[in-house]
Amino acid sequence: MRRFDMYIPEDMLDLLEYLDSHQKGVYLMANGSDLINRIQRRQVDAKTLVDLSGLSELNYVRKEDRIIRIGALTTVADIASSPVMDAHYDVFREVQAKFGGPSITNMATIGGNICAASSSEDFLPTLLVLDAFVRLRSKQGERIVRLEDFLKGKRMLDLRPNEILVETFFNEIDDDSACAFEKMGMRNSMIIAFVSSAVYVNVSKDSGVAREIRIAFNRVSGKIPARAKHTEDKLRGKKPSVQVIHESLLMLNSELQLSSDFRASRDYRTHVAGVLFRRALSKCLHRLTGVNVVV
């Protein structure tokens, strides 16, 4: 491994002042579950690593005014076990179950998962369908950016050299809404997905119509997680039925522009995407109605 320096800030103010004057070759590290591997593979030429693990003020899950806030240094395990994350948020436990073993889930942070910005990051599809935002901080002040706009491309973010991601937040999942996550790879856990998918739906309990629906995959047409917005439009305002779902799958097949690699072919990924979408939507409808609904 290449040599690098390490900087450990005393507090947030120290960190922001350091980033304001040191930017070239500087990489932020929470617990390093992703970054250290990339350095070992010589994908990153880091001159200085800034160790964020001591900034305990960025480790929290809170509910404030119907908004769920998750600090950037909150681990996968801490999110899933937080008392704030009641049954409405089982989607985060579904992510944890497929994410990795205890050695990973007790180290990997949601901020690191977001900032890795690749199709292998399991939290991103879920946060996208929850229409999440990120809060960024620098010595000059703060910015709020929609997560969808924050992700610019593979390993590319709308993050300035002197900024740090401090939290992600989204509106609570109410009693008329549900969210679910599905993932498929070579194993049941500790896997890089062939395909992962998240679905959020808000349904009228009177009519059964989907007032809002959001669908995301680890890839749609690019190399980062994104929403399948044309398919969403096909379903929004309609009651999920066999015919409606069939039509939406035809739209999904045309919207997905996936590629083949050594793990799976394009056609297989597209087929799996449709299966995972139906599974996630079925789970959402079951959570809302208490009835097993197969779509």
Side-chain angles (χ1 to χ4, degrees), residues 17-35:
E17 288 180 345
Y18 181 86
L19 293 180
D20 210 47
S21 56
H22 301 78
Q23 296 174 9
K24 188 174 181 180
V26 173
Y27 285 81
L28 305 181
M29 182 182 74
N31 292 305
S33 58
D34 176 73
L35 181 59

Side-chain angles (χ1 to χ4, degrees), residues 175-214:
D175 290 340
D176 291 335
S177 305
C179 187
F181 174 80
E182 289 284 344
K183 177 180 177 179
M184 181 176 287
M186 293 293 289
R187 301 185 300 273
N188 287 328
S189 65
M190 299 181 70
I191 55 174
I192 295 176
F194 297 150
V195 180
S196 63
S197 178
V199 173
Y200 166 91
V201 62
N202 177 282
V203 173
S204 168
K205 291 185 176 179
D206 294 331
S207 65
V209 167
R211 292 179 294 209
E212 179 59 81
I213 185 165
R214 306 184 196 116

Side-chain angles (χ1 to χ4, degrees), residues 250-267:
L250 294 177
M251 176 62 72
L252 180 63
N253 288 341
S254 65
E255 184 169 9
L256 293 175
Q257 301 296 317
L258 305 178
S259 57
S260 301
D261 62 20
F262 68 93
R263 282 188 288 266
S265 69
R266 176 188 184 280
D267 290 344

Side-chain angles (χ1 to χ4, degrees), residues 213 215 228-256 274 277-278 281 295:
I213 185 165
I215 308 160
K229 292 191 174 181
H230 296 303
T231 307
E232 292 175 356
D233 291 341
K234 194 74 176 177
L235 285 162
R236 190 177 292 112
K238 298 178 182 177
K239 183 176 181 178
S241 65
V242 173
Q243 180 63 31
V244 168
I245 298 303
H246 175 72
E247 292 172 357
S248 71
L249 287 173
L250 294 177
M251 176 62 72
L252 180 63
N253 288 341
S254 65
E255 184 169 9
L256 293 175
F277 157 64
R278 296 202 311 274
L281 180 58
V295 296

